[in-house]
Amino acid sequence: MIVDLPSTTTSAVNKKLVELRERGGAVTLARVLTLVIVTNEGEEAESVIDPAIEASREHPCRVIILARGPKKAAPRLDAQIRVGGDAGASEVIVLRLYGPLAGQGASCAIPLLLPDAPVVAWWPTGAPANTAEDPIGTLAHRRITDAAAEKNPIKFLTSRLETYSDGDTDLAWTRVTQWRALLSAALDLPPHEKVRAATVTGDATSPSSELLAAWLSRYLNVPVRRVKTDAGPGIVSVVLERQSGNVELVRPDGVTATLTQFGQPERRVALPRRDLTECLTEELRRLDPDEIYEETLHDLGKVIKGRAPAATKTAPKKAVATKKKAAKK
Amino acid sequence: MSTSWVNPLRDPRDKRLPRIAGPCGLVIFGVTGDLSRKKLMPAIYDLSNRGLLPPGFALVGFARRDWADEDFMKVVKDAVREHARTPFREAVWKQLAEGLRFVQGSFDDDAAFDQLADTLKQLDDQRGTGGNHAFYLSIPPAAFPTVTRQLSRSGLASADGERWRRVVIEKPFGHDLDSARELNAVVNDVFPEESVFRIDHYLGKETVQNVLALRFANTFFEPIWNANYVDHVQITMAEDIGLGGRAGYYDGIGAARDVIQNHLLQLLALTAMEEPVSFSPADLRAEKAKVLASTKPIEPLDETTARGQYVGGWQGGQQVPGLLEEGGFSPESTTETFAAITLGVHNRRWAGVPFYLRTGKRLGRRVTEIAVVFKRAPHLPFDDTATEELGQNALVIRVQPDEGITMRFGSKIPGTSMEIRDVNMDFSYGHAFTEASPEAYERLILDVLLGEPSLFPVNEEVELSWKILDPVLDFWAEQGKPDPYEPGAWGPDSAEAMLARTGRTWRRP
């Protein structure tokens, strides 16, 4: 059911929500969180509703969409409530904010937050420079950005480290989970040799490639090269160099990857690029600080850019040695 | 895996990384059966779709049908399309299909098992299953000795070094204590106990796992979870379907052996057990075994048990046959289709609290629940008229369908006078969470491949369960025919009488 409340206030919205609940029979609010989505009015706002509704099937939640309209318009709040079949396992409240109200999203969201339940904020694009200090960010226990949807993905990603605060996360990081899982599983198998160096190849503007490279650098403690290519969408390949043979995970087409490693036959793995719904569902599963993401951000700067196959042959030992020293401190 | 190796990419704080099983393959015996098509194949696809199966995973079907690999592939594909929980994706299917093999043969056919051994060897080379294989015996227990002997003969049952072999078996785990011991001996003769995984699919259900979370992660419930506050506990598993077409399995077995011995006693163990030292498999099992060992039927059995058999009649708008008219059942059959028993848990926490367990076919609706019913308040500072309609507080864990928790307590009826009536508060873990939460079989198959045994009952639990049930079964065997009951209701009158003797009634689930 979709109910429109043009030119309204949040207390009217709250009243309507209670009324709708009573009319639909007394249902307890088994909602585990409030998801606040900050977006612009129009197509952008529409495009995030479906992933949010789908994600709510695993995490029943109240979704509040703050859709910012033109700043120059007269101040007005239009609300729309979607419940039942139109909202999956959630209830969706779209607040369209016009004029000076467009900058006052937080004050409109506060009265509608579920009592006691955690709040997750998501900026599908156009995230503020410092999300933790943003008025809506301060309400949230977890703040989701998406570097890949920003104008300059790589620059945006680098800026995440400067403003990092517990609870920050980025969908570019969510997109590498499956890659990380496969690589971890590959290293579980013998031969249990140390990885000497690693290379991550991917699209020039793929923030996920950067994060994957930084993660390898952080946890393997070896030089990691990040090679840019236009061969495929997103991440194209990862190579971990070991004495008896490399571990290679190559995905040329963005759908199916090939995993090659010493002692094992070459294997195909379905590794399709993850859609928004899948990423959001994974994000909502965990509400505690993601230490691994934070540590990975620290190593973004250590990743070696570009193609330099010859140089790494001698470089590794030195790099490893200095790193160990640093770790001891 | 050598003990000194620490994978640098694994960090215990990294909760995003899913547990992916190591290289391995699964062989299903009885692959043409219903369970295999409706549950196992879809679960394997769903696991694959969620990226939880290792690259190069292999699935081998073994059955008598004269199929080629392609026929088998088509059957699996159809089963996946029809029953899988997650959407069908061509890329995932292709990856899975590459590892599908079919071996044709009967269980006493040496050549077929040699061919199976060859197929697995090939898979080790081509797909890198690494010599790790699980054998899923989706076959009648009578065939276990033949199959395990064949596996042992063809060298498939033993593994060297870091490789593993595991065997998965489904209920029934015997039909009494002696036969259960015999069956265990047959299986353990070939597979050591730590590589035997007994599937009780109830234990794979989220709500059942949530019983432990509910009890041991919260402070609300545990203080009142004892004989001081609990009056009695009712554990119900009801089905609305009959037994048409299942005579071969069910006749002579009956409801108690089919359901109480495994599912209901496991639910009882989880409800009544003490807090485990940790959630490691060994600690969990220790607590379950303790509580099962202190559980015994309450006597006299003619007053504390009831059994029934459904007769023909109308149910849910359809005319249905009685058990004796169902095809395949002997017209003289004394097999019970409804069973209710009273158990006592003899320890300090539960002394004096009866646990009522009931199960049946052709009952009012399909439902499984654990209802903890509390004692009445020792003193009510109201007029008698005010609390006339007040029942006992209850906490109900709804296992299926509509998974969740219901709390029942008294509340004032709005109005000028003080009148108190029972109301329900629902936590519907059900209609929201479960849509996207994994099927029991997904979780259990993954646990088999990972070698994670916490959700599988061990030998000891099976034998303890039979020890509880055997006296009741022996008593019933001397009693002649079970009491008839109408389809679509909640069992025979004797079941109501059994509770009425102590002034209690069954909850209508």
Side-chain angles (χ1 to χ4, degrees):
Chain A
M1 184 172 26
I2 300 184
V3 179
D4 279 302
L5 298 167
S7 193
T8 184
T9 63
T10 49
S11 47
V13 174
N14 252 329
K15 223 168 132 189
K16 193 77 192 173
L17 278 170
V18 173
E19 186 196 314
L20 285 174
R21 195 176 312 132
E22 280 176 357
R23 218 196 298 159
V27 193
T28 17
L29 288 172
R31 316 234 180 272
V32 294
L33 54 92
T34 310
L35 173 64
V36 181
I37 309 177
V38 187
T39 169
N40 290 314
E41 201 216 343
E43 226 170 89
E44 204 181 300
E46 283 302 311
S47 68
V48 298
I49 294 183
D50 281 343
I53 288 177
E54 282 306 311
S56 81
R57 291 187 197 279
E58 193 170 320
H59 312 277
C61 57
R62 173 177 285 182
V63 182
I64 301 173
I65 297 173
L66 299 173
R68 295 171 297 208
K71 282 222 158 107
K72 290 204 174 132
R76 198 178 82 221
L77 170 66
D78 285 353
Q80 186 183 62
I81 301 172
R82 301 189 187 191
V83 287
D86 292 303
S90 65
E91 49 197 5
V92 180
I93 304 162
V94 187
L95 300 177
R96 296 194 179 82
L97 313 166
Y98 301 98
L101 259 182
Q104 297 298 323
S107 73
C108 294
I110 288 172
L112 296 171
L113 300 178
L114 292 171
D116 243 10
V119 177
V120 179
W122 174 32
W123 291 267
T125 178
N130 189 339
T131 48
E133 281 174 19
D134 179 84
I136 290 159
T138 51
L139 297 176
H141 300 78
R142 204 166 171 95
R143 294 165 295 273
I144 308 172
T145 51
D146 186 359
E150 299 293 336
K151 277 198 192 87
N152 187 337
I154 309 297
K155 200 172 143 209
F156 179 83
L157 197 59
T158 330
S159 74
R160 291 299 90 194
L161 176 62
E162 292 150 25
T163 63
Y164 178 85
S165 172
D166 279 350
D168 281 4
T169 178
D170 195 284
L171 294 184
W173 174 241
T174 325
R175 291 187 188 99
V176 297
T177 302
Q178 210 57 36
W179 287 81
R180 297 197 300 124
L182 283 166
L183 293 170
S184 303
L187 290 196
D188 277 340
L189 302 179
H192 296 140
E193 294 168 351
K194 201 168 159 24
V195 175
R196 297 187 298 195
T199 310
V200 176
T201 310
D203 191 83
T205 57
S206 154
S208 295
S209 304
E210 303 281 333
L211 282 169
L212 187 57
W215 175 68
L216 289 170
S217 157
R218 182 80 189 185
Y219 283 88
L220 294 175
N221 230 344
V222 297
V224 178
R225 269 175 301 143
R226 156 83 164 93
V227 177
K228 292 177 179 166
T229 173
D230 26 348
I235 308 168
V236 174
S237 75
V238 179
V239 178
L240 307 180
E241 293 170 30
R242 295 197 296 187
Q243 187 162 14
S244 52
N246 295 351
V247 175
E248 295 184 18
L249 185 58
V250 185
R251 183 185 69 178
D253 58 354
V255 181
T256 309
T258 315
L259 177 66
T260 324
Q261 73 184 105
F262 178 79
Q264 305 285 338
E266 187 180 287
R267 288 179 294 210
R268 298 211 302 161
V269 196
L271 190 56
R273 304 191 76 196
R274 308 180 85 186
D275 61 19
L276 214 45
T277 303
E278 217 175 308
C279 292
L280 192 61
T281 307
E282 179 179 316
E283 276 315 320
L284 297 184
R285 207 168 290 154
R286 308 252 131 69
L287 298 170
D288 52 331
D290 190 340
E291 295 103 334
I292 312 294
Y293 170 65
E294 183 191 356
E295 289 184 4
T296 297
L297 286 177
H298 279 286
D299 264 35
L300 275 175
K302 291 199 184 133
V303 175
I304 305 155
K305 306 265 188 274
R307 221 175 286 259
T312 49
K313 282 267 156 40
T314 50
K317 276 186 184 161
K318 209 175 153 195
V320 170
T322 47
K323 246 202 178 157
K324 273 195 182 144
K325 255 184 222 162
K328 269 179 195 161
K329 278 180 208 165
Chain B
M1 218 173 287
S2 64
T3 43
S4 58
W5 169 252
V6 179
N7 187 341
L9 295 182
R10 294 225 183 261
D11 185 322
R13 296 170 304 166
D14 197 344
K15 296 184 219 154
R16 282 175 197 266
L17 285 197
R19 301 182 306 164
I20 301 184
C24 62
L26 177 70
V27 182
I28 303 179
F29 291 95
V31 75
T32 47
D34 254 16
L35 178 82
S36 164
R37 277 188 307 108
K38 287 191 183 146
K39 297 287 182 188
L40 304 183
M41 293 171 183
I44 287 164
Y45 170 82
D46 288 331
L47 283 174
S48 180
N49 206 359
R50 290 162 66 206
L52 299 177
L53 291 184
F57 176 80
L59 175 66
V60 181
F62 187 102
R64 211 170 295 154
R65 290 290 159 87
D66 189 12
W67 280 348
D69 283 349
E70 293 75 44
D71 301 313
F72 179 53
M73 220 172 274
K74 190 179 169 314
V75 171
V76 180
K77 193 171 185 176
D78 291 345
V80 166
R81 273 187 188 275
E82 199 177 335
H83 300 289
R85 182 176 64 85
T86 54
F88 189 84
R89 289 191 212 164
E90 199 59 40
V92 174
W93 167 251
K94 260 195 198 148
Q95 182 203 344
L96 192 63
E98 281 174 9
L100 291 183
R101 300 289 183 278
F102 184 78
V103 176
Q104 190 240 334
S106 59
F107 299 148
D108 51 9
D109 182 357
D110 285 3
F113 277 82
D114 290 340
Q115 204 208 324
L116 178 66
D118 285 345
T119 308
L120 295 188
K121 201 170 218 59
Q122 276 172 24
L123 285 169
D124 287 346
D125 297 338
Q126 295 167 5
R127 301 275 297 167
T129 40
N132 303 319
H133 297 283
F135 301 99
Y136 199 119
L137 307 189
S138 182
I139 52 175
F144 283 9
T146 326
V147 172
T148 50
R149 214 179 311 120
Q150 284 284 13
L151 289 174
S152 158
R153 187 197 57 80
S154 49
L156 286 172
S158 53
D160 50 338
E162 286 168 7
R163 302 169 168 199
W164 53 257
R165 296 292 151 87
R166 295 182 187 134
V167 66
V168 187
I169 56 180
E170 286 265 354
K171 67 168 191 179
F173 311 125
H175 54 85
D176 58 14
L177 182 58
D178 292 338
S179 61
R181 284 195 174 136
E182 236 170 77
L183 186 75
N184 282 334
V186 163
V187 176
N188 287 151
D189 192 31
V190 177
F191 293 95
E193 181 62 16
E194 67 267 17
S195 56
V196 181
F197 289 75
R198 291 177 186 80
I199 291 227
D200 185 328
H201 68 270
Y202 263 65
L203 298 186
K205 285 186 181 290
E206 287 287 335
T207 357
V208 173
Q209 295 167 41
N210 196 34
V211 173
L212 297 180
L214 178 87
R215 290 189 54 198
F216 301 124
N218 297 305
T219 49
F220 273 180
F221 307 108
E222 207 50 23
I224 52 168
W225 211 259
N226 54 51
N228 295 335
Y229 295 94
V230 175
D231 181 63
H232 68 279
V233 177
Q234 301 182 6
I235 303 178
T236 302
M237 176 178 160
E239 282 179 289
D240 52 5
I241 51 166
L243 287 157
R246 291 189 62 203
Y249 165 71
Y250 205 89
D251 204 8
I253 293 289
R257 288 189 177 93
D258 185 38
V259 173
I260 294 183
Q261 183 270 333
N262 37 61
H263 306 321
L264 296 194
L265 282 175
Q266 285 289 331
L267 292 183
L268 176 140
L270 295 173
T271 311
M273 70 187 233
E274 297 296 322
E275 183 172 273
V277 176
S278 79
F279 272 70
S280 76
D283 289 339
L284 265 178
R285 283 168 175 175
E287 292 307 330
K288 272 162 75 183
K290 260 166 65 186
V291 75
L292 288 173
S294 44
T295 303
K296 284 182 186 63
I298 292 180
E299 310 224 2
L301 295 176
D302 59 336
E303 289 182 12
T304 61
T305 67
R307 63 185 185 135
Q309 194 180 60
Y310 64 84
V311 296
W314 289 88
Q315 182 192 24
Q318 274 181 319
Q319 190 160 24
V320 295
L323 182 82
L324 302 181
E325 291 112 58
E326 302 265 22
F329 282 91
S330 147
E332 304 290 303
S333 175
T334 57
T335 304
E336 85 275 2
T337 61
F338 176 95
I341 62 173
T342 312
L343 299 177
V345 179
H346 300 284
N347 58 24
R348 177 173 282 227
R349 186 194 280 260
W350 294 115
V353 178
F355 282 71
Y356 299 110
L357 274 52
R358 65 171 163 171
T359 179
K361 305 280 175 189
R362 286 246 184 267
L363 296 183
R365 67 188 188 93
R366 174 175 167 264
V367 62
T368 303
E369 62 171 38
I370 304 165
V372 180
V373 182
F374 292 89
K375 290 183 173 164
R376 285 176 194 279
H379 169 72
L380 290 167
F382 304 98
D383 300 339
D384 287 349
T385 48
T387 54
E388 224 168 4
E389 288 179 84
L390 178 66
Q392 284 166 285
N393 292 166
L395 182 106
V396 183
I397 298 164
R398 306 191 307 266
V399 177
Q400 71 173 12
D402 186 24
E403 310 190 5
I405 293 161
T406 301
M407 283 225 249
R408 191 165 168 76
F409 51 85
S411 176
K412 181 183 174 296
I413 303 172
T416 49
S417 62
M418 180 53 108
E419 272 183 86
I420 297 164
R421 187 189 285 170
D422 286 337
V423 290
N424 279 336
M425 183 166 82
D426 264 348
F427 161 62
S428 206
Y429 193 49
H431 72 256
F433 272 111
T434 44
E435 257 182 283
S437 76
E439 268 274 332
Y441 276 98
E442 272 176 76
R443 170 75 197 263
L444 294 175
I445 291 175
L446 182 64
D447 278 3
V448 169
L449 300 179
L450 288 164
E452 159 58 58
S454 347
L455 296 178
F456 301 88
V458 275
N459 213 331
E460 191 189 2
E461 289 166 51
V462 173
E463 291 182 8
L464 283 170
S465 304
W466 282 119
K467 266 189 204 159
I468 297 169
L469 198 58
D470 271 359
V472 179
L473 295 173
D474 292 343
F475 170 75
W476 282 346
E478 300 159 4
Q479 298 298 307
K481 281 189 155 306
D483 306 319
Y485 66 95
E486 295 289 321
W490 290 102
D493 297 338
S494 53
E496 294 300 332
M498 160 187 155
L499 259 69
R501 284 188 193 102
T502 56
R504 300 185 173 100
T505 52
W506 287 107
R507 227 181 89 80
R508 182 164 42 74

